[in-house]
Amino acid sequence: MGKLEGKTALIFGVANDHSIAWGIAQAFHREGAKLAFSYAMPSLEKRVRPLAESLGSDFIELCDVTDDAQLDAVFAKAKSQLGTIDILVHAIAFANREDLMGRFVDTSREGFLLAHDISVYSLVALANRARVLMPNGGSIMTLTYYGSQKVAPKYNVMGVAKAALEATTRYLAWDLGPENIRVNAISAGPIRTLAASGISGFRDYLKQFATIAPLHRNVTIDQVGEVAAFLAGDGSSAITGEVMYVDNGFNIMGLANEDRE
Ligand code: NAP
């Protein structure tokens, strides 16, 4: 029997079959979870619907997380169609392309607020609506990146947003603990996805990462999915408010040694 048998997961952030959320959805499916999906823009439906259907899902709803009315609508639909949920996945981030190149000091007020609204506040907005559908407790998870802790050139405003996202994870874990709802973040190494293609010099991230990380390889969406399935299941029932690194050990390194044999 799968680890997630009898559980229902609502997943935000599948854009295509390269998305981290897609790796997570596949892992949940292997472990027996029932899946529901939300996607950001009407134009994505043609890609997301066949993916969702291939995992037996018939809950595929549009939701731009900057719009409270759309958020309310998707959770009203979840209540009527799914009843309760056990797992919420937040795999959403956005910043203007011009804010992911050049210097952080040039970030506009508008760009700063947009990145934080979509990439950080949306976790609060989703968690507050999801908890109502989690009468038996649950597991909420988000995706972050090490650029929150140390400077990753060009990651800029997104690094600042990820720092806020990690703090948000801890404050939500405190608030929702009494409801037996756990909130954790997965800090994934760089993976080539649509969102990542907006970061200038991302190819360098991948190359440097595999050189520096103790395991000398890049991370896959399947590996992130396996950790997400662990965080979603009862095996992690004592873990909340954590940032879990799925990065082949990159974050432990202080200096690179490019000559290692
Ligand atoms: P992705 O496939 O492009 O997923 C990002 C998702 O966010 C897309 O589905 C995107 O939809 C959605 N989104 C953006 N604005 C939205 C809005 N207003 N409302 C609802 N959804 C919105 O890229 P990904 O790399 O898998 O990203 C998933 C998460 O992992 C992000 O939080 C990212 O920062 C994080 N992460 C990524 C990496 C990496 O190297 N790829 C590493 C660590 C953490 P649209 O396509 O319509 O914009």
Side-chain angles (χ1 to χ4, degrees), residues 12-16 18-22 38-41 43-44 47 63-67 90-94 118-119 122 142-146 155 158 162 165 186-196 199 202 205-206 221:
F12 287 76
V14 175
N16 57 37
H18 298 286
S19 295
I20 293 176
W22 178 240
S38 177
Y39 60 95
M41 294 192 287
S43 60
L44 284 183
R47 269 185 267 141
C63 180
D64 176 343
V65 294
T66 60
D67 182 337
H90 171 274
I92 292 172
F94 184 81
I118 298 181
S119 315
S122 60
T142 186
L143 271 301
T144 186
Y145 175 64
Y146 189 54
Y155 200 57
M158 191 52 72
K162 291 302 192 191
L165 182 71
I186 295 174
S187 186
I191 300 174
R192 201 185 296 277
T193 63
L194 211 56
I199 303 163
F202 187 76
Y205 278 38
L206 290 172
I221 62 170

Side-chain angles (χ1 to χ4, degrees), residues 87-221:
I87 305 159
L88 176 82
V89 175
H90 171 274
I92 292 172
F94 184 81
N96 286 328
R97 193 172 275 265
E98 65 265 27
D99 291 327
L100 298 173
M101 52 179 68
R103 302 191 310 165
F104 171 65
V105 71
D106 294 323
T107 308
S108 65
R109 184 190 302 272
E110 189 201 349
F112 188 95
L113 293 176
L114 180 72
H116 282 71
D117 187 16
I118 298 181
S119 315
V120 188
Y121 180 72
S122 60
L123 177 61
V124 183
L126 292 184
N128 205 20
R129 288 167 174 83
R131 68 182 189 83
V132 180
L133 303 185
M134 292 177 162
N136 309 315
S139 174
I140 295 176
M141 66 193 77
T142 186
L143 271 301
T144 186
Y145 175 64
Y146 189 54
S148 61
Q149 303 297 311
K150 302 286 179 190
V151 174
K154 314 285 189 218
Y155 200 57
N156 294 0
V157 70
M158 191 52 72
V160 178
K162 291 302 192 191
L165 182 71
E166 291 171 19
T168 298
T169 299
R170 291 186 282 273
Y171 277 89
L172 288 174
W174 167 249
D175 275 359
L176 303 186
E179 297 171 39
N180 194 29
I181 296 171
R182 298 181 293 109
V183 187
N184 291 291
I186 295 174
S187 186
I191 300 174
R192 201 185 296 277
T193 63
L194 211 56
S197 68
I199 303 163
S200 58
F202 187 76
R203 203 175 305 186
D204 276 353
Y205 278 38
L206 290 172
K207 204 166 148 232
Q208 282 192 41
F209 181 87
T211 305
I212 295 170
L215 292 175
H216 296 304
R217 55 184 184 238
N218 282 290
V219 169
T220 68
I221 62 170

